[in-house]
Amino acid sequence: MKYPECTKLVSSCLAFTMMMAGIPFTVSAEGDAPILQVKTDSVSMKSLEEERDGRLQVLAERQAEEIRQLEDSQAQQIQKMRADGKSETEIQNQIKKNEDTLQNKKEKHLQAMEAENVLRFSTDVIISNNFMGVTAASFGIKYDSRISYVDVELLNSTAKCFNVINNPEQHILWFTGANASNANSKNTFKDEVMMTLNFILSEEQGGSFPFEFVWEGANGAHAYWYTDNSRDSNVIDGIESSAVGGMFSATGDEVIDPPMVRMNQNTQRQVKVLNTTDAVFWYSDNEKVATVDSETGLVTAVSPGVTNINAVTNLSLLTCEVTVTEGYYYSIADPTELKINNNGDTFILYYPDAEGAVKWSSAKQDIATIDENGTITIKQEGEVTFIGQGSGGTYIRKVIISSASESAFLRGDVDENGKIDIMDVILLNKGLFGKASLTDAQIKAADINGDNIPDAQDCLRIMRYIVKLETW
């Protein structure tokens, strides 16, 4: 009986036995194309760093022992020269040579330490479903330009049929089977092929790095695949259709973003946990200062004070410090017009990421002035431009000051901060769903349709106004 027929018989018997036992069983047809696959894997940056630190520690201990042995050997050499009655000139010359030798050894050690001070990672390549055997093969794997190729470990005898060429300009590894130039070669392989690709991660922050199979590669080579049964026919099309690329991901430690935030009253800010796939549970230490949605991490500033917003994952308890300010802070770098109300509140401009002192000035001091801390003093209603000069350059921002009575009836300004934005939509939605109580002034500002009943249509019109699809 021929080998393929034996294979079919054994597979059929095994399938029947496993089916009777209730065990799922799948057998690939003899003619199915081999499957080329790059493993998808994910590790933490911390584990890569720990592995690197471990390698450096072992290397440092070995180097220290080498230096100790060299110094002992040199000391014994000098001692013997003195015992042999060598002249002082000869001894000093030898000491100088020994010092140079020792210095050269230390420099090589330093170079070796620098070479090992990298983050290394590996990914596996597996070729399976190889029932038809292969007489010759040639294909490529493209790797991400942000990583550096080190070498390939051929893990079994079948894998050792391949030669590997690295094309760093194209970021392609080109694999060529043994005797690949001769498709009639008798050197065939039918086992699973296993190999490990080793790389250096050049980005300390980690990331995701894809691998994909390519069919034109190093030095203009073209992919091919000849089987035992088709030694004169290139069946690369079938191989290409079954190849599965992979992804290597290196994730950083779980961190909260931002770790500290300052918020104006009645505003919202999204807080996130980075580098996690876990569900996150959120809670506030003091909901009188700020609340947080337990599922989404959306923080709402309630009243002046400081509190912690906490995030709980399977691995961590992370904290964001939230300061809700007494006054209202606005960035001088924001190019949009700022509308504020002359209602007795404190308004402060700040210069983002300032290094050193900031020089503040007002273009119309009869309308409003600004002190060295960015605090605005309103003298009357009107328009004024403020200038902030600091380490990052000069910024200007136009501010429109309205009277308290005028601002109370600014249509769409539900949160009464002098401008119409997404926060007004959010506050109105919370009011409609009973999650917040709106004052009479806020209800009047939300009533865009003028029917004295804020509803979803009013919410939609505010949204349309924000995206400039509607004007009032």
Side-chain angles (χ1 to χ4, degrees):
M1 184 179 290
K2 295 182 180 179
Y3 174 79
E5 296 174 348
C6 290
T7 301
K8 291 179 182 179
L9 178 59
V10 171
S11 297
S12 299
C13 292
L14 179 59
F16 178 78
T17 303
M18 296 182 73
M19 179 183 68
M20 295 301 293
I23 302 173
F25 179 75
T26 302
V27 176
S28 298
E30 179 189 15
D32 285 353
I35 298 173
L36 281 64
Q37 182 175 11
V38 180
K39 182 181 178 183
T40 292
D41 199 6
S42 178
V43 300
S44 68
M45 286 293 292
K46 184 176 181 180
S47 67
L48 293 181
E49 290 164 356
E50 289 175 346
E51 188 274 337
R52 175 201 59 196
D53 294 345
R55 283 188 285 107
L56 291 176
Q57 179 65 29
V58 171
L59 180 59
E61 292 173 356
R62 185 171 69 245
Q63 290 178 347
E65 179 61 21
E66 289 178 3
I67 294 297
R68 186 192 65 78
Q69 291 179 3
L70 180 58
E71 289 175 334
D72 288 348
S73 174
Q74 290 177 343
Q76 291 172 9
Q77 180 188 35
I78 299 301
Q79 185 178 18
K80 185 176 185 305
M81 289 179 70
R82 293 189 189 280
D84 292 344
K86 300 295 183 181
S87 69
E88 191 60 29
T89 299
E90 289 178 300
I91 291 173
Q92 291 303 318
N93 287 338
Q94 188 61 50
I95 289 176
K96 180 64 171 62
K97 290 181 180 179
N98 289 350
E99 289 175 348
D100 291 342
T101 299
L102 186 62
Q103 182 60 32
N104 289 336
K105 174 68 74 172
K106 290 181 177 179
E107 289 178 357
K108 289 181 179 179
H109 281 180
L110 180 59
Q111 293 171 359
M113 190 69 73
E114 290 175 348
E116 282 299 317
N117 188 22
V118 293
L119 300 180
R120 299 179 180 271
F121 76 91
S122 303
T123 189
D124 292 335
V125 178
I126 299 174
I127 304 175
S128 57
N129 204 40
N130 233 350
F131 300 118
M132 294 176 66
V134 180
T135 59
S138 185
F139 63 92
I141 295 178
K142 188 174 182 65
Y143 56 92
D144 195 284
S145 61
R146 296 169 296 166
I147 59 180
S148 301
Y149 168 73
V150 178
D151 58 28
V152 173
E153 298 177 59
L154 304 173
L155 300 180
N156 61 5
S157 58
T158 300
K160 292 176 182 177
C161 292
F162 286 97
N163 296 316
V164 185
I165 302 172
N166 180 38
N167 186 328
E169 290 79 19
Q170 295 181 329
H171 312 292
I172 291 176
L173 296 178
W174 197 252
F175 295 83
T176 303
N179 300 313
S181 61
N182 179 8
N184 293 315
S185 166
K186 301 298 184 181
N187 295 326
T188 67
F189 56 85
K190 293 184 173 68
D191 353 344
E192 183 175 72
V193 180
M194 298 181 63
M195 56 187 81
T196 295
L197 315 184
N198 296 313
F199 293 89
I200 291 174
L201 180 64
S202 58
E203 296 197 354
E204 290 290 328
Q205 71 271 23
S208 295
F209 307 95
F211 294 87
E212 60 182 8
F213 288 93
V214 293
W215 313 107
E216 291 188 10
N219 303 320
H222 294 280
Y224 52 83
W225 196 280
Y226 293 94
T227 71
D228 287 359
N229 293 354
S230 304
R231 292 183 177 179
D232 297 322
S233 174
N234 186 4
V235 294
I236 194 63
D237 289 343
I239 307 300
E240 181 176 349
S241 64
S242 64
V244 181
M247 179 83 70
F248 177 83
S249 299
T251 58
D253 295 337
E254 292 181 345
V255 292
I256 198 164
D257 181 36
M260 182 180 298
V261 65
R262 182 175 62 186
M263 299 177 65
N264 293 332
Q265 299 172 60
N266 302 316
T267 61
Q268 292 184 308
R269 177 68 180 269
Q270 182 66 57
V271 181
K272 301 178 181 179
V273 174
L274 305 180
N275 303 324
T276 186
T277 57
D278 296 340
V280 182
F281 173 73
W282 299 86
Y283 69 94
S284 170
D285 283 350
N286 188 347
E287 293 193 341
K288 292 182 179 179
V289 174
T291 62
V292 61
D293 188 294
S294 62
E295 295 182 353
T296 66
L298 183 64
V299 178
T300 302
V302 179
S303 61
V306 180
T307 188
N308 287 330
I309 299 297
N310 304 290
V312 182
T313 72
N314 289 340
L315 299 175
S316 310
L317 171 60
L318 306 168
T319 297
C320 169
E321 182 181 276
V322 175
T323 300
V324 181
T325 57
E326 183 96 25
Y328 290 83
Y329 285 78
Y330 301 97
S331 172
I332 185 68
D334 189 333
T336 62
E337 291 184 355
L338 173 61
K339 297 179 181 179
I340 60 177
N341 311 323
N342 187 10
N343 57 5
D345 286 333
T346 300
F347 301 99
I348 303 166
L349 291 178
Y350 69 90
Y351 191 104
D353 301 322
E355 296 180 4
V358 177
K359 182 180 178 181
W360 297 99
S361 59
S362 166
K364 292 183 178 180
Q365 298 197 20
D366 58 325
I367 301 294
T369 60
I370 186 168
D371 67 15
E372 67 275 9
N373 298 314
T375 303
I376 297 172
T377 298
I378 298 173
K379 295 186 175 180
Q380 60 177 310
E381 288 74 39
E383 297 182 3
V384 58
T385 298
F386 292 105
I387 302 99
Q389 296 173 289
S391 56
T394 299
Y395 294 104
I396 62 173
R397 188 167 187 184
K398 182 178 180 181
V399 177
I400 301 174
I401 303 170
S402 304
S403 68
S405 58
E406 289 176 345
S407 62
F409 300 105
L410 177 61
R411 287 203 306 165
D413 183 23
V414 184
D415 60 9
E416 302 178 288
N417 70 343
K419 61 181 180 179
I420 302 171
D421 56 22
I422 193 62
M423 304 311 299
D424 298 300
V425 176
I426 293 172
L427 182 57
L428 177 53
N429 267 323
K430 292 178 73 173
L432 295 177
F433 286 97
K435 300 294 185 180
S437 298
L438 303 182
T439 66
D440 291 342
Q442 289 174 328
I443 291 174
K444 187 170 184 178
D447 182 24
I448 308 303
N449 292 331
D451 57 5
N452 297 319
I453 304 175
D455 55 22
Q457 288 299 317
D458 296 305
C459 190
L460 177 61
R461 291 194 62 186
I462 295 174
M463 180 65 77
R464 289 174 59 84
Y465 179 89
I466 293 170
V467 298
K468 303 186 186 316
L469 292 177
E470 184 173 337
T471 58
W472 303 330

